[in-house]
Amino acid sequence: GAEGLSASAAVAAWVSQRWGALGGGSLCKSRPPQLATQEAREQEPSEESDSPNGMSEPTATVAAVTSMVSAGVAHEVRVREVDSGITEEELLGDLEATGPKLRRIAGEGRRLLATWTTGGASFVAQALNLGLSIRRHVPSLERSFAAVTLDEAARDELQSYGFNTVMYPVPPNDLPDVIWKLRWQLLLVGIKQGLDIIVMDSDIVVFRDPFPLMRGDADIEISTEHFWPEQHLWRRWVRPEDDLSTGFIFARPSYRLSSFLVDFL
C-alpha cells in the first residue's frame, strides 16, 4: 500500500486514529514503524510530498491499503470455515446463491461492477443515476454492471431501464444488519467466483472505466477521501475518517483475502 503496511497494520492504524479522534486512548500497543518515525514532524501540514516517488500532483483517490500480492487465480476461491465454527453457508446466507448469476454477468473478462439498493424512492434513484452514468460514459462496462436489489420494487424499476439485476430479498426489519455488511459479503461472493470485483455505493457517478485505474499491487484496494493520498494518508493532522472510504472497494480473488474477509465478518 501507500505506506507499505500489512492489512492488519493498516486497519489497526485506522481504528486507533478514529478512536483517538473521539477522545479514547491508544488501541495499539505500538505504532507501525513507518508511522512512528514520522509522528514528530506530522503535527503540522507540510507542503512537500514525502511519497517514495516525490509526486506532488493530484492522483487517483483509490489507495491500496494492503500489500497482499498474489498470483492470478482463474478459478473459484474456497473460503475456510470461521474459527468460531460458523459455516460458510451461515456467513453468506442466501447471498451465496447469487454467485453464479454474478459470474454470468461478469462474462469472460471476469470483471464485475456491483452496487445494491432498496426500492425506496431516493435510493433507487441513486442506483439509476449510477447505471445511467455508466451507460453514457462507459457503455462497454454496462454489460458487467449489476445491481443487487433488496426488494421487488428496486428490481422492477432497474429492469425497466434495462439494467442487470440480481434479486436478494431482505425483510425490512433485517435491513440495518444487512446493509452494513453487504458490501463485504458481496466482495466475498465475487472472489469466490474468481472475479475481479468492484463494489461501490449507489450515489457514485462513473465517468470512465475504473478497472484500468487499479494499481494491481494488492488483493484489495479501498478508496480514500484524500486528493493527495501519497502526502496525506494516515497523517495524524488530517481527519481519520477521510483515510478510508468504503464507498468504493476493488478486490481480486485470493485465499488470503477470502480468509481476511471471513475473519472480518
Side-chain angles (χ1 to χ4, degrees):
E3 293 293 339
L5 303 180
S6 67
S8 59
V11 173
W14 178 62
V15 171
S16 179
Q17 288 187 28
R18 286 185 65 90
W19 181 253
L22 294 173
S26 175
L27 294 179
C28 302
K29 293 182 179 179
S30 61
R31 296 183 57 74
Q34 296 94 328
L35 300 179
T37 56
Q38 299 172 355
E39 281 190 358
R41 60 184 175 84
E42 287 177 353
Q43 300 304 316
E44 298 295 335
S46 171
E47 297 297 327
E48 298 180 358
S49 169
D50 58 355
S51 63
N53 58 9
M55 294 179 63
S56 58
E57 297 180 354
T59 59
T61 59
V62 176
V65 298
T66 75
S67 57
M68 302 181 296
V69 180
S70 13
V73 178
H75 55 80
E76 294 88 345
V77 176
R78 287 197 57 80
V79 179
R80 65 176 176 82
E81 292 188 356
V82 187
D83 293 339
S84 63
I86 300 175
T87 65
E88 177 184 324
E89 290 74 17
E90 292 172 325
L91 185 64
L92 294 176
D94 293 339
L95 191 63
E96 175 81 16
T98 66
K101 186 171 183 179
L102 291 173
R103 183 172 178 175
R104 288 195 297 271
I105 292 172
E108 294 182 359
R110 291 180 176 265
R111 301 191 316 172
L112 181 71
L113 184 64
T115 191
W116 73 95
T117 185
T118 66
S122 61
F123 298 116
V124 75
Q126 290 176 353
L128 282 172
N129 192 55
L130 168 59
L132 291 171
S133 73
I134 295 171
R135 179 173 292 173
R136 178 173 182 175
H137 299 293
V138 200
S140 62
L141 192 62
E142 183 179 340
R143 63 178 177 268
S144 301
F145 168 64
V148 177
T149 54
L150 306 187
D151 53 42
E152 293 180 354
R155 179 199 62 192
D156 295 345
E157 184 72 5
L158 285 159
Q159 284 186 350
S160 72
Y161 281 79
F163 292 114
N164 297 318
T165 63
V166 177
M167 187 68 178
Y168 175 54
V170 175
N173 291 339
D174 293 342
L175 282 175
D177 179 62
V178 169
I179 288 177
W180 81 263
K181 61 187 178 185
L182 185 56
R183 75 182 75 241
W184 308 105
Q185 291 174 313
L186 278 174
L187 290 170
L188 189 55
V189 170
I191 64 176
K192 282 190 60 190
Q193 293 292 324
L195 306 178
D196 286 352
I197 179 173
I198 291 174
V199 175
M200 58 197 306
D201 286 350
S202 61
D203 59 356
I204 291 177
V205 175
V206 173
F207 290 101
R208 59 175 171 161
D209 188 347
F211 284 98
L213 302 178
M214 301 300 100
R215 297 190 178 191
D217 61 349
D219 293 330
I220 186 169
E221 301 184 41
I222 303 178
S223 62
T224 175
E225 299 289 345
H226 299 310
F227 287 103
W228 294 277
E230 287 82 1
Q231 299 178 44
H232 300 155
L233 195 64
W234 311 124
R235 301 304 191 257
R236 294 177 62 85
W237 45 266
V238 299
R239 299 194 315 164
E241 58 266 33
D242 286 344
D243 286 331
L244 298 181
S245 173
T246 57
F248 183 103
I249 307 176
F250 166 77
R252 61 182 186 178
S254 78
Y255 177 78
R256 285 174 294 184
L257 178 56
S258 67
S259 297
F260 173 81
L261 291 173
V262 166
D263 285 340
F264 178 76
L265 288 167

